[in-house]
Amino acid sequence: MENSSPLLHADALIAEFQARGLFKDATPGLAAHLATPRTIYCGFDPTADSLHIGSLVPLLALRRLQLAGHRVIILVGGATGMIGDPSFKAAERKLLDAATLAHNVAGIQAQVTKLFADVPAGPLGKPLVLNNADWTQGVGVLEFLRDIGKHFSVNQMIARDSVKSRLERDDAGMSFTEFSYALLQAFDFHEMFRNEDLKCSVQIGASDQWGNMTAGTELIRKKLRGEAHVLTLPLLLKADGTKFGKSESGTVWLDAAKTSPYAFYQFWLNTSDADVEDYLKRFSFADYSKIEQLLAQHNQNPSHRLAQQSLAAELTKLVHGHEANERAWNLSINLFDNNVHAFSEEDFIQLSQEGGLPAAKSGSLALIDALILTELVTSKREARDFLKQGAIQHNGVVVTDEALELTPANAKYEKYHLLKRGKKQFALLVHG
RNA sequence: GGUGGGAUACCCAAGUGGCCAACGGGGGCUGACUGUAAAUCAGCUGGCAUCGCCUUCGAAAGUUCGAAUCUUUCUCCCACCA
């Protein structure tokens, strides 16, 4: 944050992106272009009402660019979301209905607005959150086909890797609708480029977006004789080759209502040693040298998980705020390092608070039903299965008795039942 | 509009009248070992219930003692040709 100097060291900026694993490819001349403040955008399709941590890579890259003296646009795809991006997708996708889409767009807009609220304005101003429906909706079909479609060669489009697999499969095809997605994305870039208030000339995105993004720079070159650039970020994979961004309980969302700050914190804390260096470099805003220092320390004794803790704390703070991070940290200490028997009543009150564990209120009931109520299991059969395997703990004790009843008598402070499934899944049942 | 192919659990995929709650693989979960890591090994992976029942193989109707498997109609997907 200290170098919000408007004078931009574009070469250094790009070198840093490279070092941090945030640079896969760029159009030639990008560095020179970034020597003066520019407007840079990245698009996000509203496939859900919240972004997830997969989107954090481009989001935080945008944040870096804004901090480096540029101005960024977070573009929510109210229009492109109507279509669905076919790039590298195996099959045609289901269309979202208009109401869902509107809901999703609103959700994401609110979310990113919050996420960028603390970012200072650069020479060109503060970050902007826009919706491409604003300039796409009113455009007529004929107008679009004549003015935009004319600049695209189908020969080139079908040659793209991003669609090739779809075209070559014999069990899946591609509709014209999805095929035209690239045109819409190019149109976005073109519109924001020629808009005098925006003059957006750079687009960033994941590497699978290369085709769609350069479609934009070409359109701008052909139609407006303008110079625009793109930068792609490498796809983030885990060391074991599996997808980044899933935890035991599924997708990790940025919305606290969908993924609690505690679960979010835990996700990062559980990063494997093999991945933590990669993640720190990409996600942390700490100086590069600080990160290397931290990693050196971490490697001396990986079991202390210094790197994971630092990563988890920084990101939880960034996404959910300082207080939520404190709570998540506290909760984690309590659940994993402390003995449930030593919990004070205050500890339990903490546990039951917002941003924490899944919790349920009820009168006395059977353990098996409690497990279902708290969603630790999905059926009674599964509950019995876990009980048999010794995977269920009640207030710190392994339970195998299928018939156990949870009552005030065996509750902590006559009120609390801390249930645990496996090593990491907790839930709280509160009487009253 | 025509011709051909297809729809099976989270995904891929076997099964073409009873031995099918449905092979196998992936994924996921759990246990052991650990550091809330990775790797490895083992178990589980439709539901209910004290081994018996219920629901499931795109949908509906039918044939049969008995269907994921046969018939009819319908829906959707794919390829090629118009």
Side-chain angles (χ1 to χ4, degrees):
Chain A
M1 305 216 177
E2 44 278 4
N3 66 344
S4 55
S5 83
L7 176 53
L8 306 169
H9 309 285
D11 289 329
L13 180 66
I14 288 184
E16 171 150 29
F17 266 59
Q18 281 172 332
R20 285 180 179 267
L22 294 172
F23 184 102
K24 162 108 186 199
D25 259 313
T27 42
L30 174 70
H33 187 72
L34 290 179
T36 46
R38 301 291 180 180
T39 298
I40 302 170
Y41 100 95
C42 179
F44 298 88
D45 266 348
T47 48
D49 60 4
S50 164
L51 296 175
H52 51 82
I53 54 176
S55 315
L56 220 45
V57 180
L59 279 173
L60 296 187
L62 283 179
R63 197 184 165 94
R64 278 176 215 286
L65 291 166
Q66 174 83 28
L67 290 173
H70 300 284
R71 189 241 327 246
V72 301
I73 296 173
I74 298 100
L75 181 68
V76 182
T80 35
M82 296 284 287
I83 306 294
D85 183 4
S87 298
F88 298 102
K89 298 285 188 315
E92 183 89 6
R93 301 206 281 162
K94 286 262 180 307
L95 293 175
L96 293 172
D97 65 82
T100 309
L101 200 68
H103 170 75
N104 292 351
V105 168
I108 292 174
Q109 279 181 320
Q111 190 167 56
V112 294
T113 301
K114 216 176 95 194
L115 195 63
F116 279 80
D118 64 323
V119 180
L124 296 178
K126 293 191 72 94
L128 298 173
V129 178
L130 302 180
N131 180 353
N132 60 13
D134 289 346
W135 56 76
T136 308
Q137 225 139 44
V139 179
V141 193
L142 291 177
E143 189 190 338
F144 187 82
L145 290 177
R146 281 183 68 99
D147 292 352
I148 305 302
K150 199 66 178 169
H151 295 282
F152 286 82
S153 148
V154 169
N155 309 41
Q156 270 179 35
M157 286 170 73
I158 58 175
R160 285 205 186 113
D161 284 347
S162 54
V163 300
K164 207 178 262 171
S165 65
R166 272 285 272 293
L167 299 176
E168 283 167 0
R169 283 172 72 120
D170 48 359
D171 64 334
M174 183 177 346
S175 66
F176 181 75
T177 305
E178 285 196 6
F179 188 56
S180 57
Y181 183 94
L183 270 72
L184 283 177
Q185 191 167 330
F187 181 62
D188 285 341
F189 202 176
H190 162 270
E191 287 299 297
M192 289 190 287
F193 181 91
R194 68 175 194 150
N195 181 314
E196 283 300 315
D197 295 327
L198 301 176
K199 288 189 175 152
C200 175
S201 60
V202 180
Q203 181 180 184
I204 70 168
S207 53
D208 59 1
Q209 291 294 303
W210 177 263
N212 291 344
M213 299 200 298
T214 51
T217 58
E218 275 173 47
L219 180 63
I220 289 167
R221 183 172 52 79
K222 288 182 187 166
K223 199 154 175 299
L224 306 173
R225 302 191 185 285
E227 179 190 357
H229 290 275
V230 312
L231 163 70
T232 55
L233 308 164
L235 228 48
L236 184 50
L237 280 179
K238 294 207 284 183
D240 59 12
T242 58
K243 247 204 212 119
F244 164 81
K246 301 276 188 209
S247 76
E248 285 86 350
S249 28
T251 303
V252 180
W253 302 95
L254 301 186
D255 181 351
K258 292 168 92 90
T259 298
S260 74
Y262 161 76
F264 184 86
Y265 179 91
Q266 282 286 319
F267 170 81
W268 296 105
L269 189 66
N270 277 299
T271 303
S272 72
D273 291 339
D275 290 319
V276 76
E277 173 170 353
D278 223 32
Y279 291 8
L280 269 174
K281 287 179 176 170
R282 277 189 214 219
F283 294 110
S284 172
F285 282 84
D287 285 346
Y288 196 78
S289 58
K290 288 256 173 58
I291 291 173
E292 291 195 310
Q293 222 173 352
L294 175 65
L295 286 168
Q297 224 176 328
H298 168 82
N299 286 327
Q300 277 172 21
N301 192 344
S303 69
H304 288 165
R305 293 178 300 155
L306 280 180
Q308 282 90 340
Q309 283 176 26
S310 168
L311 180 70
E314 181 176 352
L315 288 172
T316 310
K317 210 183 294 177
L318 185 69
V319 173
H320 294 298
H322 181 70
E323 272 178 50
N325 174 51
E326 289 288 301
R327 272 205 295 274
W329 178 77
N330 254 313
L331 200 52
S332 299
I333 298 274
N334 262 335
L335 290 174
F336 289 98
D337 297 346
N338 291 346
N339 187 333
V340 183
H341 302 290
F343 278 19
S344 67
E345 196 160 1
E346 179 59 32
D347 288 335
F348 276 109
I349 293 171
Q350 280 259 318
L351 286 187
S352 61
Q353 269 165 3
E354 174 211 355
L357 299 183
K361 285 196 176 217
S362 134
S364 300
L365 80 171
L367 171 63
I368 288 185
D369 294 322
L371 291 170
I372 291 174
L373 186 63
T374 54
E375 294 181 348
L376 283 180
V377 304
T378 57
S379 69
K380 293 189 177 187
R381 203 222 89 251
E382 194 179 67
R384 291 197 189 88
D385 226 44
F386 283 133
L387 282 163
K388 221 174 287 169
Q389 296 172 97
I392 303 293
Q393 286 187 26
H394 168 244
N395 285 336
V397 180
V398 174
V399 185
T400 49
D401 178 13
E402 294 182 8
L404 183 71
E405 293 277 331
L406 302 185
T407 64
N410 59 16
K412 284 283 180 187
Y413 303 99
E414 301 184 345
K415 211 173 160 188
Y416 301 103
H417 299 278
L418 181 63
L419 302 173
K420 182 180 179 188
R421 189 207 83 207
K423 275 184 222 170
K424 300 174 204 169
Q425 298 293 311
F426 292 90
L428 192 64
L429 186 83
V430 184
H431 286 306

